[in-house]
Amino acid sequence: MSLQTSYPDIFKQLFAFNLDEFLQGVFLYLDPVSLKNCQCVSREWKSYIERRLWNSRVARKKLKTRLNLLWKNGSFIIEQFAESKGTLYCIACDDKSVYCGTVDGFT
């Protein structure tokens, strides 16, 4: 039996034995992108994640706490992309650009 075929069997057994706390722990350990990708694995995984994580007050609280820690302690890079002596009053962004509004424009 190959390693790839043994993983689905393990998860099927965990679902079959209804080991909710263990499964929640596994899914809550994942980063947000991986968790979202897990929903695409099968209908069973999608249903479980929606039911036991997104619709669970306790699990959502754990997710929120973890995301806040990632936000506060994550690595970041500060880049200066414009210089202004004015006061910045507005900032917005989309997928490609960052827009800043100043009282006097960029000077």
Side-chain angles (χ1 to χ4, degrees), residues 34-88:
S34 298
L35 184 58
K36 184 175 177 161
N37 289 337
C38 283
Q39 290 184 288
C40 300
V41 170
S42 71
R43 289 183 181 141
E44 186 176 29
W45 285 33
K46 182 179 190 315
S47 173
Y48 180 84
I49 291 168
E50 287 175 355
R51 189 179 73 251
R52 298 297 295 158
L53 272 68
W54 301 130
N55 293 332
S56 164
R57 195 177 287 165
V58 173
R60 275 198 331 263
K61 185 177 180 182
K62 289 178 184 178
L63 282 169
K64 185 178 178 181
T65 300
R66 185 156 181 260
L67 287 174
N68 284 336
L69 285 173
L70 287 171
W71 177 258
K72 291 177 184 177
N73 301 326
S75 61
F76 57 89
I77 299 170
I78 297 175
E79 291 186 29
Q80 183 174 342
F81 55 90
E83 223 176 286
S84 173
K85 294 181 179 129
T87 303
L88 184 69

